[in-house]
Structure formats: C-alpha cells, structure tokens
Amino acid sequence: MSRMYYNESLKSIPVSNHDWSEPWNEDQYHSGKGFLLEGVLKAKTRHVICDTNQAKYRFYVLYIQVSIAHRRQYSIKGEEIEPNFSANMVKNTGYLNSSYKLEAKGQTDMVEFSEVLKAIKKSPLASITDTLTPKGCGAFWILEADMNKMEVDIDEKIRLKTNGDSPFVFSITKLDTISSKVCNYAGGSEVGASWTDKVFASKEQDAPTDSSNQDNAGADDDEWDD
C-alpha cells in the first residue's frame, strides 16, 4: 500500500550571502529593554554575513505573525522580571471561590506590534529582509547554530524574546498547543506555560484539596459559633 507524506520540512533552504561594509558588531543593535512576543512562524530564510575582516556569520531569519507582544521588564538590580501581562487580575470570590471577578492590576506592559516593528527596524538589516517578509509578519534573526538545536515547522506557534530593541533573538521557545507545554531552546531561562494558563492555574491552586474538610472550608470561625 502506498503512503503519502509531507516533506516540506526536508527541503533545503537556500543561503543568501551578503557583504558587510564594516566589521560585524551585533551588539550595536542591542540597546533598549527588548520585547517578549508570541506568534506563528510563517516562513524562514538563511543568510551569511561576510564582513570586512572576512569573518562569516550564519543566521536564519524567522518571519513571525505576532499575536501578542509585551515589553521585557527588569528589577532595580537589573534582573529580568515577569511583565504585567494584563491591566486586570483575577480575584476569586464567592463561597469556596466558586466565582471570580476582574480587578485593576496596574499599567499593562502589552504593546502594539506596530510599535515593536518600529523599534526593532534597523536599516542595514531591513534592507535584506523587507522584500522577503510576508505581510503582517516581523523578521527576526537567530544564529544558525541556535536554530539547529530545535525543530519548528511552518505554522507552529512560538514565543521569543528579542535582544534589546533589535530583531535579534535572545531566546526562543516552541509552544506545544496540545499539552500546553513550552519547550525551551536558545538562551534565556526556563519559561512557563502559555500566559493565559497562569490565570487558570491560579484559580485551581486556590481550590480546597482536603476532601474531609471541604464542608467547613471557606467559612470564618465566627460563622460556626451559633
């Protein structure tokens, strides 16, 4: 019996070579806090930068349709902290936390993707990727060595951090939308499940676990004095 299979991921991606008019210095683009993005990979290309020192730097460019974006945030000690993902927070209410309501959590760190694109656009790099970028996507550069550590196919959902306000990837993860797991690959620290999962996880943690004491759970002592 014959079998049909999809071999798109097995096809070799052609490499584009680019002469750089000065010594390559990626750090010059890394100023700013950077962004935390989530979206879908729509295309990828390969590029080699050859600078005036005859050094070669190999990259993949990932073209991502971003669905949500936040500013990366840091403590006064310079350590990265979790952004405020929403302007609201979930507060459990009612008997046995049977309901909840939304309350103001403060200023959200969410930003529009148009703001991200404006911040990360660097002219020398954009001249390479502008004509290749699918509509509605952003172009993000990742070292070929880091990209080779992971398997991610077109139309898969991923999350990444940018290295400052630049198109260079600081860390990237692939979101397993079936089991809600996050697989960490290049750089950065371990990340949790998807952002919306945290709301439901918080709600579950507040529920009582001792079945023998559930009848009395959630009631103040003075309610049982009568």
Side-chain angles (χ1 to χ4, degrees), residues 1-2 13 21 30 32 40 70 77 85 91 96 101 111 119 125 132 139 143-144 162 175 183 188 225:
M1 181 178 67
S2 62
I13 301 175
S21 59
H30 290 175
V40 176
H70 290 83
K77 295 181 179 180
F85 291 116
K91 182 177 181 180
L96 298 182
K101 64 179 179 179
V111 295
L125 300 167
L132 304 173
L143 285 170
E144 184 179 271
T162 64
L175 299 180
C183 306
D225 292 338

Side-chain angles (χ1 to χ4, degrees), residues 28-195:
Q28 66 181 309
Y29 302 113
H30 290 175
S31 61
K33 290 183 176 180
F35 299 94
L36 179 61
L37 311 170
E38 190 171 295
V40 176
L41 178 64
K42 305 305 290 185
K44 49 188 173 181
T45 54
R46 295 172 65 194
H47 303 267
V48 173
I49 302 294
C50 184
D51 70 3
T52 53
N53 292 329
Q54 300 303 307
K56 292 185 177 181
Y57 302 85
R58 300 180 180 274
F59 292 93
Y60 274 85
V61 176
L62 308 180
Y63 302 93
I64 300 173
Q65 187 178 66
V66 173
S67 57
I68 190 168
H70 290 83
R71 271 282 182 187
R72 295 176 66 184
Q73 297 297 334
Y74 303 86
S75 70
I76 57 176
K77 295 181 179 180
E79 299 172 342
E80 184 167 10
I81 58 177
E82 184 178 90
N84 183 357
F85 291 116
S86 172
N88 297 317
M89 63 182 293
V90 175
K91 182 177 181 180
N92 292 310
T93 61
Y95 181 66
L96 298 182
N97 297 321
S98 58
S99 60
Y100 65 90
K101 64 179 179 179
L102 295 178
E103 288 189 350
K105 186 180 178 182
Q107 182 64 39
T108 178
D109 292 317
M110 185 183 298
V111 295
E112 296 292 334
F113 185 45
S114 57
E115 181 180 339
V116 177
L117 290 178
K118 183 177 179 180
I120 68 172
K121 186 170 184 177
K122 311 300 179 185
S123 297
L125 300 167
S127 63
I128 295 174
T129 59
D130 275 354
T131 59
L132 304 173
T133 306
K135 185 177 180 180
C137 294
F140 299 90
W141 294 65
I142 181 172
L143 285 170
E144 184 179 271
D146 289 335
M147 189 63 189
N148 288 340
K149 297 175 184 177
M150 65 184 298
E151 294 182 6
V152 58
D153 295 323
I154 302 302
D155 291 331
E156 284 193 310
K157 196 172 184 180
I158 60 176
R159 182 185 301 159
L160 65 83
K161 295 178 182 180
T162 64
N163 207 334
D165 294 353
S166 81
F168 291 99
V169 173
F170 174 75
S171 68
I172 185 170
T173 61
K174 182 170 69 171
L175 299 180
D176 183 346
T177 55
I178 297 177
S179 63
S180 297
K181 292 181 179 178
V182 180
C183 306
N184 197 41
Y185 290 96
S189 59
E190 187 72 18
V191 295
S194 67
W195 301 335

